[in-house]
Amino acid sequence: MNDNVKSPWPGPAGMIPVTSGKADDANVFNRNYLDSIHVEMRVIDAVEPTLKTVIFGEEFDSPIMMPAFSHLNKVLKDGKKPMLEYARAAKKLNTVNWVGMEPNEEYAEIAAEGARTVRIIKPFADHNIILDEIQFAIKHGAIAVGVDIDHVPGTDGRYDVVDGIPLGPVMLSDLKEYVKAADNVPFIAKGVLSVQDALKCKEAGCAAIVISHHHGRIPFGVAPLMVLPKIKAALEGSGIAIFVDCGIDTGYDAYKALALGADAIAVGRGILKPLLQQGAEGVEEKVQKMNEQLSELMMYTCVKDTRSFDASVLYI
């Protein structure tokens, strides 16, 4: 992340980091890759599709989920708390809500909005913090918990420090410990971008992974959709749910990820502007439009439901 780049978002400098936009910015390649994937038309016998999606045994109205944002409650000054606003939107949309790094008291406030929520925890050097936050999330009804396995290095080549809290490595033994601590609540490894890490997550007993480069944390990072088919093949038969994020800004983007094998996707910064300008209503409008676009492209390709995607429709 490059805090010297002018941010399009409100709030203190660096509150919502932006990347460089140069050749090393994984978001640039990711956007180009998403846009390079084309779709053939299969309209004979096509019907209006359903977007109903089962995630961790529960049915939701769409495979498009909220992102794991962090710190946004520090941004606005009008009395609205963005983290609560998009949780409200998730509940109304009947989709899965995700929450990133927040202290326990903030997480409790978000969870109280009633959306089915995933809590993603930073890889703190002090593992007791991670274990405490896992248990706190479970007590507050989290549908799943997980760790940002990709947020280990900072731009200085050392372990990162976030809000004054040191982060550390994520070892395979650590993942096994966290999965055990989550008990019967699904554990998610967020930030998988290789078959190697996907297989280690399988060995650790993870219930799901998120294929992601965390909005370009890794310089020159491969596009998540580029590595998705390889990971899907490697995890075939494991029962591990595969989610994808990074640059999913339209229902058409979501379609491509789902066609390539994702079980669900998380929209990211595409909801930031409507969220910060309009709150829950803006998020609802954005995601509803994405759902419409997803349904449109499903109908154009004879996909009747979220279990019927076919990668052969794509030209890559």
Side-chain angles (χ1 to χ4, degrees):
M1 302 294 180
N2 186 349
D3 292 344
N4 295 321
V5 177
K6 185 177 180 181
S7 173
W9 315 115
M15 181 62 68
I16 304 174
V18 293
T19 46
S20 69
K22 298 179 180 178
D24 64 337
D25 186 346
N27 299 294
V28 174
F29 178 70
N30 183 54
R31 184 68 259 164
N32 290 337
Y33 188 76
L34 275 166
D35 292 342
S36 74
I37 300 173
H38 290 76
V39 186
E40 73 177 26
M41 188 163 60
R42 303 173 180 178
V43 291
I44 296 175
D45 294 325
V47 297
E48 187 173 316
T50 175
L51 299 186
K52 297 288 185 181
T53 303
V54 175
I55 299 172
F56 299 133
E58 299 183 29
E59 187 177 78
F60 297 91
D61 287 347
S62 171
I64 298 175
M65 308 179 293
M66 294 295 106
F69 282 155
S70 303
H71 312 304
L72 289 186
N73 283 351
K74 301 175 184 177
V75 174
L76 299 183
K77 299 179 181 179
D78 62 359
K80 289 184 177 180
K81 293 186 175 182
M83 301 292 289
L84 303 185
E85 289 294 309
Y86 83 83
R88 291 169 188 149
K91 183 177 181 181
K92 189 168 182 180
L93 291 162
N94 188 30
T95 192
V96 179
N97 188 45
W98 291 61
V99 175
M101 183 179 176
E102 295 294 332
N104 281 342
E105 58 271 20
E106 293 280 356
Y107 178 80
E109 190 177 12
I110 295 165
E113 291 297 326
R116 299 297 282 139
T117 300
V118 176
R119 186 181 198 181
I120 297 296
I121 301 163
K122 294 297 182 189
F124 300 115
D126 183 348
H127 291 187
N128 288 325
I129 300 175
I130 299 174
L131 296 172
D132 173 69
E133 292 194 354
I134 287 174
Q135 292 307 313
F136 191 88
I138 291 172
K139 289 177 182 177
H140 285 76
I143 190 174
V145 294
V147 167
D148 267 326
I149 67 168
D150 59 353
H151 197 157
V152 174
T155 54
D156 61 357
R158 298 179 180 275
Y159 294 130
D160 205 1
V161 178
V162 180
D163 285 354
I165 307 174
L167 306 188
V170 179
M171 312 301 285
L172 178 57
S173 58
D174 297 330
L175 278 182
K176 291 179 179 179
E177 179 185 15
Y178 305 148
V179 169
K180 184 177 179 181
D183 197 15
N184 292 322
V185 174
F187 184 86
I188 303 170
K190 183 177 182 294
V192 174
L193 205 62
S194 66
V195 169
Q196 175 174 304
D197 279 350
L199 291 175
K200 289 181 179 180
C201 292
K202 176 183 175 181
E203 183 179 347
C206 295
I209 62 171
V210 182
I211 302 178
S212 172
H213 53 55
H214 205 129
H215 196 72
R217 287 203 64 83
I218 178 173
F220 297 99
V222 64
L225 265 61
M226 182 177 279
V227 73
L228 168 58
K230 292 181 180 180
I231 291 175
K232 180 76 172 180
L235 296 181
E236 189 70 33
S238 68
I240 295 175
I242 299 175
F243 307 134
V244 175
D245 71 8
C246 294
I248 307 295
D249 189 45
T250 68
Y252 307 137
D253 293 336
Y255 177 97
K256 294 172 185 179
L258 295 163
L260 286 170
D263 294 297
I265 65 93
V267 63
R269 297 188 177 209
I271 72 164
L272 262 181
K273 187 174 181 179
L275 171 62
L276 298 179
Q277 291 182 340
Q278 301 169 263
E281 182 179 345
V283 175
E284 291 164 25
E285 290 177 0
K286 171 69 175 180
V287 176
Q288 286 168 350
K289 180 61 178 178
M290 291 180 69
N291 284 334
E292 291 169 4
Q293 293 169 333
L294 174 58
S295 293
E296 174 194 5
L297 204 47
M298 289 171 71
M299 202 181 306
Y300 267 124
T301 53
C302 213
V303 178
K304 65 180 181 178
D305 57 44
T306 57
R307 299 177 302 278
S308 304
F309 285 98
D310 181 351
S312 69
V313 76
L314 302 179
Y315 286 70
I316 302 175

